[in-house]
Amino acid sequence: VNPDDVNRILRKGSEEEIIGILDLLRGYDISPYLDNLISLLKNYPKQSLRAFTLLLLKFKGIDKEVGYLYNGEIITVNPLKLEAPFDTETFKKCEEFLRENEKNITLANNAVTLFSTYVMLMYPHILTIENDLLILVAIKQLASKYLNQSTNVEKACKEHHLDYQEVVNKMNEIEKALELF
C-alpha cells in the first residue's frame, strides 16, 4: 500500500475508491492515514461513508475524541468507547425477530438488510429496546413494499398492539433516512 496514494484517495477519491480503501485499511496500520480518516468523519457528505469510517476507527482501537458530522451537526465521539452496532444484544434480538417471524425467506432477508442499513445510518447512536418493535414492524412493512409485495400496516399494528400512525411515521422516517444511504 502506497501511503501517498491512500491519502490522496481519502482526500479526493470517489466514493467507491474511498470504500475500497476503508476495507483495505482493516488489515493495515492506519496511523499514517488518521488525519484524513478523521477529516472524512466531519466533511464527507454521505452519512453511510462517515459511519463506515467511524467503524474502522473503532475496529482499530482509536482512543481519542474526534468530531463527527451527524444530522447536520458536529458531535464529539471517541471511537474506542462506542458500542459496535452489530454486536449489541438489541441488534441480535431484532435480526432474530425479523428472520423467525417471516416465512418468506426473501422478505426476511430484505428486512434484515434494511434494518442493518438503518442501524448504520443511525450510528453512533444505538437503537434501544424500547423502540425495537415499532422499528421492526416498520422495517418489515418497508421490506414488503420494496419487494412490490402487498403491505398491511393496519393488520401488523393490531397483531403487535402498535399505534397505526406511529408505525406509518416510523416508516416515513426510516424511508427518508434510507434515501441518504
Side-chain angles (χ1 to χ4, degrees):
V1 176
N2 179 328
D4 292 335
D5 288 342
V6 170
N7 278 314
R8 179 187 50 74
I9 290 170
L10 290 174
R11 281 192 310 274
K12 297 179 182 172
S14 69
E15 181 178 354
E16 293 79 21
E17 289 174 317
I18 294 171
I19 289 171
I21 290 296
L22 294 176
D23 189 46
L24 178 73
L25 289 178
R26 291 172 49 114
Y28 290 89
D29 172 24
I30 63 169
S31 55
Y33 318 109
L34 198 53
D35 289 343
N36 285 317
L37 291 168
I38 290 171
S39 178
L40 287 174
L41 296 176
K42 293 186 287 190
N43 299 311
Y44 200 81
K46 287 192 79 172
Q47 165 63 18
S48 55
L49 194 131
R50 292 192 310 270
F52 289 136
T53 304
L54 187 57
L55 278 174
L56 174 65
L57 297 182
K58 174 170 184 41
F59 175 74
K60 290 303 207 169
I62 301 302
D63 187 13
K64 70 185 278 183
E65 301 285 314
V66 296
Y68 183 73
L69 180 61
Y70 183 80
N71 279 345
E73 64 182 69
I74 301 289
I75 60 174
T76 301
V77 296
N78 181 326
L80 184 64
K81 294 179 181 174
L82 293 174
E83 198 169 6
F86 303 112
D87 292 340
T88 67
E89 200 56 43
T90 298
F91 179 83
K92 291 172 187 168
K93 182 179 143 205
C94 291
E95 181 181 28
E96 183 179 309
F97 174 89
L98 290 169
R99 290 196 189 281
E100 291 182 0
N101 290 294
E102 180 54 54
K103 291 176 178 69
N104 181 330
I105 302 297
T106 303
L107 180 57
N109 288 339
N110 194 35
V112 169
T113 300
L114 286 175
F115 180 66
S116 298
T117 303
Y118 184 64
V119 165
M120 278 299 295
L121 287 169
M122 299 307 297
Y123 194 65
H125 299 289
I126 302 292
L127 299 177
T128 59
I129 299 284
E130 308 85 66
N131 296 348
D132 66 351
L133 188 58
L134 175 66
I135 291 169
L136 293 175
V137 170
I139 289 279
K140 196 169 172 184
Q141 293 301 307
L142 285 173
S144 292
K145 176 183 171 184
Y146 292 163
L147 290 172
N148 292 320
Q149 296 179 355
S150 63
T151 60
N152 193 336
V153 178
E154 200 170 306
K155 180 182 175 190
C157 290
K158 286 179 184 174
E159 181 181 330
H160 296 288
H161 309 290
L162 294 171
D163 179 80
Y164 174 82
Q165 194 57 52
E166 284 184 19
V167 172
V168 169
N169 290 346
K170 184 55 76 176
M171 286 174 66
N172 290 335
E173 175 189 316
I174 292 169
E175 204 163 23
K176 185 177 177 188
L178 291 173
E179 289 172 4
L180 301 174
F181 201 75

